[in-house]
Amino acid sequence: FAGHEAASFRDVGDRFNIKISSLHKIIKNVSMFLSNMSKSVITWPNEEEKLEILTDFENIGFKDVLGIIDGTHVRIDTPWEDPESLYNRKKFYSVHVQALCDSKRKIRDVFIGFPGSVHDGRVFRNSTLCNTLEEKCGEKYILGDSAYPCLRNYKNRRPLTPMEVNFNKKLSHVRVRIEHTFGLLKQKFRQLYHLKLRGMVVICHFIRACCILYNLSSADEDEEMDWQQFEEIVTVQNVEENIDEENQGSASGLLYRNYLAALFFNG
């Protein structure tokens, strides 16, 4: 069911000779079982893993980076309750998925369930990751786009000067890994292009279950993937968002981002 974009409950039920009511229960139970494995499968890197991640990112242009963050939308059918909040700026109903990946495109943090109409920055500010960012990152930081506030442990992109244009170019080159991650996740579990389930609790468990299976299945795939060919499948959009004042970030975050931009520009 998860792996086929156009599969209906009737299609899957007929293929495996299962009643539709039984199939609903199976999908729900298996999704919840897998989702409950998240604490052991979707984990923040340990010290040894951090060293490997830091080295990987430094080799491709950014020092002291622990991960890359972004949001994606999982399309759903018109909801029965509160449809307006789930109608996103791309003109369809969706559930927001915030994820952070490492240098190997492994999902290290995921936050699921906000309505599609909610801005990435607001989702981030309400996530567990935001509240524990300093504890998890220390003196290191994560990367993302301009939809997120610029904090001391988080760097975003917003062109103001030739120096920052240069900074954004380098950042986009690194940040494409989170686009790869979302692309691979949805290619493997094509129901995530348009999820047929109903009920927010079940939907969230199903999406998290797909993230669990993605991590378990992708451990040995990174070296084998032709990423240049894969970019023909995944369209990377570097679209600047309108940033309101609350997304500007902290003074220390802005100063440190400017320091990095100057370092790259003068180097």
Side-chain angles (χ1 to χ4, degrees):
F1 175 75
H4 200 294
E5 183 177 0
S8 67
F9 292 110
R10 188 172 301 279
D11 292 335
V12 179
D14 289 345
R15 176 168 296 187
F16 294 98
N17 195 26
I18 299 172
K19 292 181 179 180
I20 292 178
S21 59
S22 298
L23 180 62
H24 272 283
K25 292 179 182 178
I26 291 169
I27 292 172
K28 178 181 177 181
N29 291 341
V30 174
S31 295
M32 294 185 72
F33 174 81
L34 289 169
S35 177
N36 289 331
M37 295 171 59
S38 61
K39 289 185 177 180
S40 61
V41 179
I42 300 177
T43 59
W44 197 254
N46 58 35
E47 294 304 315
E48 183 179 347
E49 291 171 329
K50 284 182 180 179
L51 288 175
E52 183 179 353
I53 293 167
L54 291 168
T55 301
D56 287 344
F57 279 123
E58 185 171 2
N59 288 339
I60 56 176
F62 260 88
K63 187 178 180 181
D64 294 337
V65 175
L66 284 175
I68 309 165
I69 191 172
D70 203 358
T72 189
H73 291 268
V74 173
R75 183 191 291 262
I76 60 173
D77 289 334
T78 305
W80 294 323
E81 298 181 1
D82 196 18
E84 293 82 8
S85 70
L86 290 154
Y87 196 67
N88 64 39
R89 62 184 178 83
K90 297 180 181 179
K91 311 301 182 186
F92 60 85
Y93 298 101
S94 69
V95 175
H96 190 282
V97 180
Q98 174 186 285
L100 181 143
C101 75
D102 63 17
S103 56
K104 295 289 193 297
R105 302 168 181 85
K106 181 178 181 178
I107 297 173
R108 292 295 185 169
D109 187 271
V110 68
F111 185 63
I112 305 164
F114 262 70
S117 63
V118 180
H119 190 272
D120 285 3
R122 182 170 297 176
V123 174
F124 172 71
R125 286 192 300 275
N126 284 276
S127 68
T128 305
L129 178 62
C130 180
N131 297 326
T132 59
L133 197 59
E134 186 173 348
E135 174 190 343
K136 288 180 174 178
C137 291
E139 293 299 312
K140 313 306 179 185
Y141 54 89
I142 62 176
L143 299 174
D145 63 18
S146 61
Y148 296 92
C150 186
L151 307 175
R152 172 58 184 85
N153 299 113
Y154 171 82
K155 301 292 161 266
N156 65 6
R157 62 187 297 275
R158 186 188 184 194
L160 296 173
T161 66
M163 178 180 71
E164 290 202 1
V165 170
N166 179 68
F167 174 82
N168 287 349
K169 183 178 179 181
K170 290 180 178 291
L171 177 55
S172 295
H173 176 68
V174 177
R175 208 184 67 82
V176 71
R177 279 164 172 71
I178 189 65
E179 305 290 352
H180 289 164
T181 302
F182 288 138
L184 278 173
L185 176 66
K186 291 183 178 182
Q187 283 288 308
K188 288 184 176 184
F189 306 105
R190 299 182 69 88
Q191 266 296 317
L192 298 182
Y193 285 117
H194 190 160
L195 186 53
K196 309 298 192 298
L197 296 176
R198 291 279 187 177
M200 194 55 61
V201 173
V202 175
I203 286 172
C204 290
H205 278 298
F206 179 85
I207 296 170
R208 188 178 291 108
C210 290
C211 293
I212 296 290
L213 293 174
Y214 166 85
N215 269 8
L216 292 174
S217 66
S218 62
D220 300 318
E221 291 180 0
D222 190 70
E223 297 301 324
E224 300 175 5
M225 178 65 71
D226 182 349
W227 293 109
Q228 288 186 339
Q229 183 179 16
F230 183 70
E231 291 204 20
E232 296 177 4
I233 301 173
V234 180
T235 302
V236 180
Q237 297 177 338
N238 291 317
V239 179
E240 286 297 330
E241 300 279 353
N242 292 323
I243 306 174
D244 53 20
E245 289 299 319
E246 62 182 350
N247 272 354
Q248 291 292 333
S250 67
S252 62
L254 294 168
L255 284 171
Y256 196 69
R257 181 188 64 183
N258 292 342
Y259 162 73
L260 290 174
L263 194 66
F264 291 143
F265 193 68
N266 295 325

